[in-house]
Amino acid sequence: YDYAQCASCCSLGELPLSGRRSTITDMCFDHVGELLASSSSDGRIAVHTIDQFVPLPRRPGTDGADATTAAVDCEPILCIDPPANGASARALQWNPRDENELLCGFSGGGCSGVCVYDLGGARPGRPARTLRSSKAQGTSALAVVDDGNTVVGGGRDGELRVWDLRAKGAVVRQA
């Protein structure tokens, strides 16, 4: 993954992890543990590198005993704005078969499906595709099967939806 390429095409500094004012709703590491993505109730997604906080920063005047609780106050390498006003980013998952593919479940603001972001593509801050369901009331939980093609999502409606990433984006099965 080319971090420099990402930084050159995206606005940085808008969303420090510790400076957020909205609730962090989910976070996950990529499959190699180098990138941490976090989602928030204001719909934003932030991507950080593990190097930004390991080792954890030490607070001045401490012996390091509380270093494990130090706040991370650094700019993400990528900030992704919500796909619609009022959309809340609720769940995140990296695709285990594509290191550049990050999936995010949204609710509110007319957004109820899953946006698939290609962080290695020409426009990493915009969804490369959207997985939709006509009955969904938002997607607040996500899982990606190890095959990298099957996505399962659920939300407030209590139903599970299954999408096949090889298909055009419509829900494959709903239960």
Side-chain angles (χ1 to χ4, degrees), residues 103-127:
L103 291 82
C104 184
F106 286 92
S107 64
C111 242
S112 61
V114 177
C115 290
V116 181
Y117 296 93
D118 179 5
L119 302 186
R123 297 173 15 166
R126 297 202 142 174

Side-chain angles (χ1 to χ4, degrees), residues 5 17 20 29 35 54 56 67 83 98 111 121 125 141-142 164-166 168 171 173:
Q5 173 195 8
L17 195 61
R20 289 180 131 158
F29 281 101
L35 299 176
V54 173
L56 288 172
D98 185 342
C111 242
L142 277 177
D164 185 338
L165 289 176
R166 297 167 292 191
K168 296 225 180 222
V171 68
R173 189 168 190 177

Side-chain angles (χ1 to χ4, degrees), residues 117-135:
Y117 296 93
D118 179 5
L119 302 186
R123 297 173 15 166
R126 297 202 142 174
R129 58 196 289 198
T130 302
L131 309 177
R132 302 184 189 280
S133 171
S134 61
K135 295 172 67 178

Side-chain angles (χ1 to χ4, degrees), residues 81-95:
D81 287 326
N85 287 336
S88 178
R90 308 306 287 169
L92 288 171
Q93 284 291 315
W94 293 92
N95 186 331

